[in-house]
Amino acid sequence: MKKEYQLDQLIKAFIAISNENECKDFLNDICTFQELEKMAQRLEAAQLLLEGRTYEQVIQETNISSTTLSRVSRCIRYGNNGYKNILDKLNKK
C-alpha cells in the first residue's frame, strides 16, 4: 500500500510539471545521470524498434544491452502502449 501511494505521488509530480525546464530540474534532482541516460536510451530504442529496425541495428545505434532491448521490445508488443503513446505525441511536434 505504501509503494502504491509513493507511485501515485510520483505520477502526480510528473503531471504537475508545467514546462521543459521544470521537468529537467525535477529529473536531475530525482534521478542519477546514469538513470536518465538509461531511460533516454530505452526511449530511443523503442523509437527505432517501432520504425522497424532490427535488434542488431538498435544495439549498434544505441549501445543498449540485449537484455534491456528485449524488455523494451516486450513492452512494445505486450505492454500498455506507453512507449508508443509518448513517441506518437513527440513525433507530432
Side-chain angles (χ1 to χ4, degrees):
M1 190 162 297
K2 176 84 170 166
K3 288 184 181 189
E4 187 176 318
Y5 170 79
Q6 291 171 336
L7 181 58
D8 287 345
Q9 288 298 101
L10 180 61
I11 291 167
K12 287 175 185 174
F14 277 107
I15 291 169
I17 294 171
S18 60
N19 61 55
E20 192 172 321
N21 285 334
E22 197 174 281
C23 186
K24 284 180 186 179
D25 290 344
F26 180 62
L27 286 172
N28 283 322
D29 283 352
I30 200 167
C31 298
T32 66
F33 177 76
Q34 188 174 19
E35 288 168 334
L36 290 173
E37 198 173 58
K38 295 293 183 185
M39 286 188 285
Q41 185 184 51
R42 290 176 190 150
L43 187 62
E44 182 182 8
Q47 176 70 52
L48 295 173
L49 287 174
L50 288 167
E51 289 173 358
R53 304 274 176 73
T54 65
Y55 269 40
E56 292 78 22
Q57 291 170 323
V58 175
I59 289 170
Q60 187 173 27
E61 289 185 46
T62 64
N63 201 31
I64 197 169
S65 73
S66 59
T67 302
T68 303
L69 181 57
S70 178
R71 184 181 186 289
V72 170
S73 179
R74 273 193 315 275
C75 288
I76 289 171
R77 286 184 285 161
Y78 307 113
N80 298 311
N81 289 320
Y83 282 116
K84 185 176 182 329
N85 291 338
I86 292 301
L87 289 167
D88 285 349
K89 288 180 181 186
L90 290 174
N91 291 327
K92 287 181 183 177
K93 291 184 177 185

